[in-house]
Amino acid sequence: MAGPQPEGTSPFLAILSRLKYIERWSLMRNSRPENLSEHSLEVAMIAHALCVIANVRHGRHLDESRAALLGMYHDASEIITGDMPTPVKYGDGRLRDAYKDVEGRARRRLLDTLPADLRPALERAFVAGEGEDERYVARLVKAADRLSALIKCLEERACGNSEFVTAEEATRKKLRRMRQELPEVDEFMDEFLPPYGRTLDQLL
């Protein structure tokens, strides 16, 4: 992002378009590479579905579109930082805290590229707000992120790639805890997860 921008222009959306160049699972041998753009869309769709389940089946009044928006932008800072592999990011508490700080700085740097009058509205897409409902939505977005990771592991295993076996076990362990606290995650895994990995003919 070095160099001056033409006067009166904002590089914000041009920077976001670079999500497609950030590859996930960089320490792993992938049968099919996954970029951050497709991951973000999947997280947004799953988070939206989790909120629908919460509202329809559990009497909540969550903003489903808000969940999709937070999911869509949840990894945008990685355009600047790159994708930090999970074992590295969470392997040490000090490193985890330092990386959170780096992510926050990257997010602010990205938002600084916005015109001043648009920044407040778009900033809300990056950070969950206050209130019980907003915090619950943020938890569902985090669950959606982990579900997306599990789906990737299942797809790789279906391709005969044993590289993701350990990652799948670790992800399932995290999701087991979430299933106990978030009924939406439990229901998603029972009803929507099993068809992943099937062919289109089987799905239809």
Side-chain angles (χ1 to χ4, degrees), residues 156-170:
E156 288 292 329
R157 186 156 54 82
C159 292
N161 184 5
S162 60
E163 185 86 0
F164 281 74
V165 169
T166 303
E168 180 182 342
E169 291 173 354

Side-chain angles (χ1 to χ4, degrees), residues 24-25 34 38-51 67-72 74-75 136-152 171 174-175 178 182 184-186 188-189 193 196:
R24 286 169 49 79
W25 308 96
E34 178 186 60
E38 56 192 325
H39 167 68
S40 298
L41 175 60
E42 184 168 59
V43 170
M45 291 189 295
I46 294 173
H48 181 269
L50 291 173
C51 276
L69 195 63
L70 286 169
M72 193 166 66
H74 80 287
D75 275 344
Y136 201 85
V137 166
R139 293 176 70 192
L140 292 181
V141 172
K142 184 64 178 176
D145 189 26
R146 289 192 172 144
L147 286 165
S148 176
L150 178 59
I151 290 164
K152 168 65 173 174
T171 305
K174 293 173 183 174
L175 283 166
M178 287 185 155
L182 303 170
E184 301 83 4
V185 175
D186 191 51
F188 182 97
M189 292 185 72
L193 191 62
Y196 279 90

Side-chain angles (χ1 to χ4, degrees), residues 69-140:
L69 195 63
L70 286 169
M72 193 166 66
Y73 286 102
H74 80 287
D75 275 344
S77 62
E78 292 184 8
I79 298 168
I80 297 171
T81 67
D83 178 40
M84 176 73 77
T86 297
V88 179
K89 186 189 298 187
Y90 297 109
D92 177 272
R94 290 170 298 177
L95 184 59
R96 180 195 61 225
D97 293 342
Y99 189 72
K100 283 183 180 293
D101 180 61
V102 169
E103 284 182 317
R105 291 172 186 267
R107 185 167 54 247
R108 289 191 294 274
R109 186 176 181 188
L110 178 57
L111 290 167
D112 282 344
T113 67
L114 281 162
D117 60 332
L118 301 182
R119 176 167 176 161
L122 283 163
E123 193 166 9
R124 287 193 68 245
F126 284 75
V127 182
E130 300 298 324
E132 181 184 348
D133 283 354
E134 189 77 356
R135 287 192 295 270
Y136 201 85
V137 166
R139 293 176 70 192
L140 292 181

